[in-house]
């Protein structure tokens, strides 16, 4: 123990004095500027700033907000503008167009004049997009259907994320046998084609009532497609979450927390979960896009939203038989689905870039 | 020194090994049967090339990785197989400063939060949970101790330079007033100029707080600054250990001699031993006999057949070599 400790006043004796002065100045400078600057924004605020600076994501967000607002205002449109409701079937009525009475259900223009064709798009307040085969206003149904479709896909995405986060975080954090069991279950679920799985589940749930203890779910409840779609996509979302958690568990800051004696559950809540949140937020819009497509497919097959409730999938099904004469019935909800799915994907990409913590702080 | 009974060592490592399975039935022996003791108040430098197992040894000592075989005794208590739950109450007394100053700070938490974390988790010296006011005060004291302004507490890790971040890490390691601090290459990722500041901070804190260090480094100049004793590691084993001056200036092992010769210095006329050829052998396929014989400039037949054990060169100075070097007066060495 002969060595004498270097006192701080001799701090620079290892290097030439000029270097010592320089380094002290530079370190002082950064510390000083740290003092004068306003408190730094948190990672979420920084991500929001990054997102606002991404034009494509902002356009996508605007489109989504516009579609959602229009769908939320569906009752207003139906009652105040179109003066109808999404279930009102008008087979024998007429409307005034350019001063003439026009039949809502018109004789077919085919040579045999067999059957009736609903009125095509009028581009007026009533029957703006025409009528379907039961003489219902397609625009009103489109807006009401959007409420169902968006509600189901958002609900399914959130439910799916919660389930997947639970599975992924538990599997990734505890590893070992827990991880093996959960991962194999996910693999088995994932091995079944998604739509086939969803269709099988729906057939069971729609044909029979679902009993959850005292609760009985009837087939026409929106909750059923939400549950089915959420369940089907759990492996899709759980896998990246598990991977992220496993990487985080090996991160040096987790070892450092362990070294400080922080209990495992606290490391999970305070160090791992906040870092996984970015993965969840990024997955959210992508999952919602997938859920919207799945919902449309199920509804098209009469296994999702049940008639007479509209959804974009059921409207497409309604329009299937009119595809040659009145294509707008099927095309309008198709355009709505494509627009929303595209916007969600672009928003998801923007979120992923904006949340990248590594350059998040330096990009400004 | 001779009359007073030797104080009990703070940490004793006995025959510690750490083996990794690398597949195909092969094993990587990162640490190969190391024994050493760390005395209270000493600053033990662990030196060696990268990959020699010095960081793994440091992590094993704090039970941050599982130990394959051997024993680690801290404050007279065997912690080798202690479950994490029972290890946690001991954690405040043994801390680590990590090499990568940015990787060991959660990027999503503010500095104040990161520094307060150990204080929130552990009870205070009075056995009760620390109050928010106490924690706040302690965090400010810690920032003061490592020379950072309290305004930095509201900032995120990425807003600091490497040297500042390492100061934060030191503050965090010291938050619980540890007795033993294992510093795992704490300055090797920093600029040379900043290295000196951090090294001096370590030395200063040792003097003020009576800390015991195990200082892992590959830079002999750094080790010379902060160590009272030096252990030189090669391929997972200690080849030479002793007081800093003895090991670095009167090296007995050819490997140590080669390491010190590789440090530029201005001694005129001294003939350094030839530089080492070749690379460090893979810890998966270690050579038989002396582990250094493939690169030793003075290799003999006995070295290839028989592994040398650590034996005493002079009091407190041991080397694992069949033919230890005899030092000249001018500091140069000879076979």
């Amino acid at each position: 123990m002969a060595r004498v400790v270097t006192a701080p006043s001799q701090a620079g004796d290892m290097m030439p004095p000029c270097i010592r002065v320089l380094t002290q100045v530079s370190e002082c400078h950064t510390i000083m500027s740290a003092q004068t600057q306003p408190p730094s924004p948190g990672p979420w605020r920084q991500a929001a700033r990054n997102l606002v600076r991404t034009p494509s994501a902002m356009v996508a967000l605007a489109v989504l907000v516009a579609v959602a607002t229009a769908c939320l205002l569906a009752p207003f449109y139906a009652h105040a503008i179109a003066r109808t409701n999404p279930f009102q079937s008008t087979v024998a009525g007429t409307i005034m167009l350019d001063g003439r009475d026009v039949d809502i259900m018109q004789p077919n223009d085919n040579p045999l004049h067999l059957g009736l064709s609903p009125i095509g798009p009028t581009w007026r307040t009533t029957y703006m997009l025409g009528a379907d085969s039961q003489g219902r206003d397609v625009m009103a149904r489109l807006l009401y259907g959007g409420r169902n479709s968006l509600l189901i896909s958002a609900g399914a995405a959130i439910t799916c994320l919660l389930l997947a986060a639970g599975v992924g975080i538990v599997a990734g954090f505890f590893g070992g046998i827990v991880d093996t069991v959960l991962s194999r279950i996910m693999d088995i679920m994932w091995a079944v084609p998604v739509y086939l799985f969803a269709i099988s589940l729906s057939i069971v749930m729609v044909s029979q009532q679902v009993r959850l203890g005292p609760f009985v779910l009837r087939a026409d409840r929106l909750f059923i497609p939400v549950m089915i779609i959420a369940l089907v996509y759990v492996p899709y979302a759980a896998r990246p979450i598990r991977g992220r958690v496993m990487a985080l568990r090996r991160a040096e800051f987790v070892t450092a927390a362990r070294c400080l004696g922080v209990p495992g559950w606290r490391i999970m809540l305070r160090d791992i979960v906040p870092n996984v949140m970015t993965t969840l937020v990024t997955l959210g819009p992508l999952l919602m896009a997938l859920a919207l497509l799945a919902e449309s497919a199920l509804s098209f097959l009469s296994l999702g939203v049940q008639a007479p409730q509209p959804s974009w999938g059921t409207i497409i099904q309604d329009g299937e038989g009119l595809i040659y004469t009145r294509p707008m019935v099927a095309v309008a909800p198709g355009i709505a689905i494509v627009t929303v799915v595209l916007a969600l994907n672009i928003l998801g990409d923007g979120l992923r870039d904006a949340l990248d913590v590594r350059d998040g702080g330096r990009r400004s | 020194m001779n009359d007073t009974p030797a104080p009990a060592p703070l940490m004793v490592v006995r025959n510690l090994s750490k083996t990794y399975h690398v597949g195909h039935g092969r094993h990587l022996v990162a640490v190969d049967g190391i024994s050493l003791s760390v005395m209270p108040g000493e600053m033990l430098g662990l030196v060696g090339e990268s990959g020699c197992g010095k960081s793994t040894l440091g992590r094993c000592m704090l039970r941050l990785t599982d130990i394959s075989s051997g024993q680690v005794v801290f404050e007279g208590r065997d912690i080798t197989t202690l479950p994490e739950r029972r290890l946690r109450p001991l954690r405040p007394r043994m801390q680590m400063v990590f090499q990568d100053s940015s990787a060991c700070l959660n990027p999503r938490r503010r500095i104040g939060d990161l520094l307060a974390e150990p204080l929130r988790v552990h009870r205070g010296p009075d056995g009760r949970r620390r109050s928010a006011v106490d924690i706040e005060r302690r965090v400010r004291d810690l920032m003061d101790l490592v020379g950072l302004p309290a305004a930095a507490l509201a900032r995120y890790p990425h807003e600091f330079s490497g040297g500042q971040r390492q100061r934060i890490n030191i503050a965090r390691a010291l938050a619980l007033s540890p007795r033993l601090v294992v510093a795992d290459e704490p300055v090797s990722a920093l600029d040379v100029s900043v290295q000196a500041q951090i090294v001096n901070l370590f030395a200063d804190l040792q003097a003020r707080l009576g800390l015991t260090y195990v200082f892992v480094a590959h830079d002999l100049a750094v080790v010379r600054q902060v160590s009272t004793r030096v252990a030189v590691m090669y391929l997972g084993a200690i080849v030479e250990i002793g007081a800093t001056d003895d090991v670095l200036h009167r090296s007995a092992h050819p490997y140590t001699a080669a390491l010190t010769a590789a440090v530029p210095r201005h001694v005129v006329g001294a003939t350094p031993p030839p530089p080492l050829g070749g690379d460090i052998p893979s810890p998966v396929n270690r050579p038989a006999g002396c582990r250094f014989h493939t690169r030793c400039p003075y290799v003999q037949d006995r070295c290839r057949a028989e592994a040398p054990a650590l034996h005493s060169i002079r009091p407190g100075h041991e080397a694992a070599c069949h033919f230890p070097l005899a030092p000249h007066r001018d500091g140069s060495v000879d076979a």
Side-chain angles (χ1 to χ4, degrees), chain B residues 16-307:
Chain B
L16 180 88
S17 293
K18 173 65 186 174
T19 313
Y20 293 99
H21 299 267
V22 288
H24 308 290
R26 293 186 307 162
H27 302 286
L28 185 154
V29 184
V31 176
D32 189 9
I34 281 186
S35 300
L36 60 83
S37 32
V38 184
M39 306 306 286
E42 84 167 338
M43 301 188 274
L44 174 67
L46 275 181
V47 212
E49 284 170 282
S50 46
C52 72
K54 53 194 192 300
S55 291
T56 310
L57 175 62
R59 279 168 190 249
C60 285
M61 287 166 92
L62 295 189
R63 280 285 314 276
L64 293 177
T65 45
D66 289 331
I67 293 159
S68 301
S69 70
Q71 205 182 20
V72 178
V73 178
F74 178 66
E75 292 178 337
R77 186 165 173 191
D78 187 350
I79 62 166
T80 319
T81 53
L82 223 52
E84 192 68 43
R85 186 174 45 80
R86 308 226 348 246
L87 205 56
R88 226 176 286 136
L90 300 177
R91 291 274 185 214
R93 299 206 290 283
M94 45 183 204
Q95 280 300 312
M96 183 164 225
V97 177
F98 293 85
Q99 172 177 13
D100 187 340
S101 63
S102 64
C104 62
L105 297 172
N106 186 341
R108 304 190 79 83
R109 297 177 73 171
R110 292 176 196 269
I111 301 306
D113 185 26
L114 287 166
L115 279 180
E117 184 78 352
L119 299 166
R120 292 195 198 109
V121 169
H122 292 283
R123 286 161 195 275
D126 55 356
R128 280 184 298 182
R129 296 229 169 268
R130 290 177 169 90
S131 69
V133 182
D134 285 350
I135 291 175
E136 174 78 18
R137 194 185 307 130
R138 176 78 177 136
V139 165
R140 281 169 187 277
D141 287 350
L142 286 167
M143 290 296 269
D144 195 43
L145 190 68
V146 297
L148 286 175
L153 288 171
R155 311 208 146 257
Y156 285 89
H158 67 80
E159 298 176 75
F160 294 89
S161 69
Q164 290 170 339
R165 265 201 300 265
Q166 203 55 286
R167 286 174 192 268
I168 293 162
N169 282 320
I170 293 168
R172 199 151 83 120
L174 296 180
L176 298 167
S177 313
R179 293 185 70 195
L180 175 70
V181 174
V182 175
D184 181 9
E185 305 229 24
V187 298
S188 57
L190 304 176
D191 290 345
V192 179
S193 52
V194 182
Q195 273 189 6
Q197 295 172 0
I198 299 296
V199 164
N200 282 305
L201 178 64
F202 269 104
D204 178 37
L205 291 171
Q206 199 276 341
R208 283 163 68 179
L209 307 173
L211 299 170
T212 306
Y213 287 137
V214 172
F215 204 97
V216 180
H218 60 250
D219 187 343
L220 286 182
V222 167
V223 168
R224 188 177 292 150
Q225 283 277 314
V226 292
S227 307
T228 49
R229 213 150 63 95
V230 172
V232 181
M233 283 183 69
Y234 185 78
L235 262 186
I238 292 178
V239 293
E240 184 162 6
I241 184 168
T244 306
D245 276 353
D246 285 343
V247 172
L248 297 186
H249 298 301
R250 288 173 284 276
S251 315
H253 198 283
Y255 178 63
T256 316
L259 277 187
T260 50
V263 177
R265 67 184 121 176
H266 29 257
V267 176
V268 183
T271 44
L276 290 184
D279 286 328
I280 188 164
S282 160
V284 180
N285 293 314
R286 285 164 305 147
C290 175
R291 60 193 69 234
F292 187 55
H293 85 250
T294 53
R295 298 168 77 194
C296 184
Y298 315 112
V299 63
Q300 315 261 332
D301 284 344
R302 188 181 163 201
C303 304
R304 298 193 182 89
E306 188 189 336

